[in-house]
Amino acid sequence: MMRILLATDGSPHALRAAAFVARLVRETRGVELILVNVGHVPAVALGGPGAGAMVDFGVLEEGLERAGQEILNNTLRELAGIDADIAKEYRRGDPGGQILEAAKAKDVDLIVMGCRGLGQFGGLILGSVSERVLHGAHMPVLIVR
Ligand code: ATP
Ligand code: MG
């Protein structure tokens, strides 16, 4: 059984990665697919004077989780009709670190992700999350361009 982790932030890049996984799964028997989204509190909300007073972390985290579940469902839609055992996993924290943790915990054979995400700096070849995962992973990583 081939186990694949698909990391998604709901960006067009991540959905392209999902479309590639769909194709891969169509050609492969017995795939177990784990969709992972990581909700993270931007550093700007954590640091700085008065940040703690301005941000209600309970509300923030609930919102992040709701958004994360929606991203996972949108990505699932991209995978409609494929014959795989699909699980969704929402995590909280540093996206790269959490994707690596999930990959290790589930002992996946492959991590699939987009080259870029929702970030604003479109000029880079690789976003910081995909770079971090590529650096830290002990299993194959497929970056979809
Ligand atoms: P940066 O975040 O460094 O500003 P970016 O947003 O363009 O740049 P990344 O965040 O590295 O680029 O996104 C690359 C890929 O990593 C995405 O296509 C997606 O597959 C995965 N990814 C990014 N963020 C998350 C997240 N929060 N949860 C799950 N997967 C993610
Ligand atoms: Mg990003």
Side-chain angles (χ1 to χ4, degrees):
M1 161 97 58
M2 164 86 78
R3 200 175 281 166
I4 300 174
L5 185 157
L6 174 64
T8 178
D9 61 354
S11 62
H13 293 278
L15 294 181
R16 262 210 302 282
F20 187 83
V21 165
R23 213 184 125 200
L24 200 65
V25 168
R26 270 184 219 111
E27 314 277 334
T28 317
R29 235 172 242 275
V31 174
E32 196 180 326
L33 183 59
I34 304 143
L35 308 184
V36 175
N37 173 260
V38 185
H40 76 120
V41 179
V44 67
L46 291 173
M54 291 190 306
V55 179
D56 180 334
F57 285 99
V59 170
L60 189 64
E61 287 188 340
E62 263 173 40
L64 278 175
E65 167 139 27
R66 218 172 310 119
Q69 296 295 353
E70 203 176 311
I71 287 168
L72 290 169
N73 286 332
N74 287 343
T75 305
L76 192 61
R77 235 166 275 138
E78 198 74 21
L79 298 161
I82 65 167
D83 181 23
D85 173 2
I86 308 178
K88 291 179 283 183
E89 191 169 323
Y90 173 78
R91 287 179 165 245
R92 207 186 300 169
D94 163 58
Q98 287 300 317
I99 290 164
L100 289 169
E101 289 263 317
K104 207 164 70 180
K106 290 277 156 55
D107 193 24
V108 303
D109 302 288
L110 176 68
I111 298 174
V112 181
M113 58 201 310
C115 60
R116 306 271 330 154
L118 295 169
Q120 299 299 303
F121 307 102
L124 299 172
I125 294 172
L126 217 55
S128 61
V129 176
S130 32
E131 188 179 320
R132 165 101 172 79
V133 170
L134 207 48
H135 270 279
H138 295 293
M139 63 283 285
V141 178
L142 175 64
I143 305 273
V144 176
R145 292 210 58 178

